[in-house]
């Protein structure tokens, strides 16, 4: 059974392992420690089962907008709607914090993630040219109005 909860500083190392396995240009361990201890705008969630943390979602809540920073699920658990559940919970938290909109960037080639975001009501907002530093790939900016 998968449970979802707020991330704590004790979760940083497990989350970082998932980050390293998921992204070509992963955040550093220090970045996650900063997010947990010093970034007043950061909110992170984890998904866990009996083996430990199997996914996470991070966002920044600034003024009236939520920005998704990263979402990842361990490879062996993909396709089980964990990412969707993490995003739905993040959207719930953002609404509770009176955020009006939520946005994110996703690789233009990551059609699976784009389809998930569209399922959750996200719309295409534009392109950030050369956004990803590992290969210069463009990012699709997506957003959703949280008040609808």
């Amino acid at each position: 059974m998968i449970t979802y909860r707020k991330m704590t500083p004790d979760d940083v190392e497990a989350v970082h392992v998932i980050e390293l396995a998921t992204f070509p240009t992963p955040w550093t361990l220090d970045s996650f420690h900063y997010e947990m201890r010093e970034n007043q705008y950061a909110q992170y969630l984890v998904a866990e089962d009996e083996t430990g943390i199997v996914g996470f979602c991070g966002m920044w809540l600034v003024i009236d907008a939520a920005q998704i920073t990263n979402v990842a699920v361990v490879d062996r658990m993909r396709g089980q709607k964990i990412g969707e559940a993490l995003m739905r919970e993040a959207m719930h938290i953002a609404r509770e914090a009176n955020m009006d909109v939520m946005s994110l960037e996703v690789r233009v080639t990551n059609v699976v993630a784009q389809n998930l975001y569209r399922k959750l009501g996200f719309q295409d907002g534009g392109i950030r040219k050369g956004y990803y530093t590992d290969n210069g790939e463009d990012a699709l900016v997506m957003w959703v109005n949280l008040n609808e």
Side-chain angles (χ1 to χ4, degrees):
M1 182 171 111
I2 307 294
T3 58
Y4 300 87
R5 63 173 172 79
K6 198 170 181 176
M7 183 175 157
T8 71
D10 290 340
D11 300 323
V12 166
E13 290 192 21
V15 164
H16 190 244
V17 168
I18 297 170
E19 176 85 2
L20 290 172
T22 304
F23 299 109
T25 51
W27 284 21
T28 65
L29 191 60
D30 285 345
S31 295
F32 282 105
H33 281 298
Y34 174 82
E35 291 291 282
M36 286 292 95
R37 293 195 169 101
E38 297 181 47
N39 186 350
Q40 64 181 343
Y41 304 108
Q43 292 274 335
Y44 281 75
L45 304 165
V46 294
E48 61 186 346
D49 67 7
E50 62 282 351
T51 68
I53 294 174
V54 296
F56 73 96
C57 176
M59 66 181 161
W60 295 331
L61 304 176
V62 182
I63 305 174
D64 61 355
Q67 168 70 35
I68 296 293
T69 56
N70 36 20
V71 181
V73 175
V74 296
D75 195 48
R76 66 181 170 80
M77 299 295 285
R78 291 189 186 148
Q80 298 184 36
K81 301 196 181 297
I82 296 168
E84 179 178 340
L86 284 164
M87 285 295 298
R88 287 187 187 281
E89 184 61 22
M91 293 170 77
H92 174 75
I93 289 168
R95 283 186 186 101
E96 292 286 309
N98 296 314
M99 300 292 112
D100 293 328
V101 296
M102 178 178 276
S103 64
L104 54 81
E105 289 88 14
V106 59
R107 288 178 185 268
V108 294
T109 57
N110 192 346
V111 177
V112 171
Q114 290 172 35
N115 288 340
L116 167 61
Y117 303 140
R118 287 188 184 103
K119 177 181 178 180
L120 296 173
F122 282 77
Q123 303 172 33
D124 296 2
I127 299 288
R128 293 195 199 280
K129 292 281 186 196
Y131 182 80
Y132 293 98
T133 57
D134 63 310
N135 65 358
E137 186 174 352
D138 296 345
L140 172 63
V141 178
M142 301 183 78
W143 67 275
V144 64
N145 184 335
L146 294 170
N147 297 319
E148 292 182 352

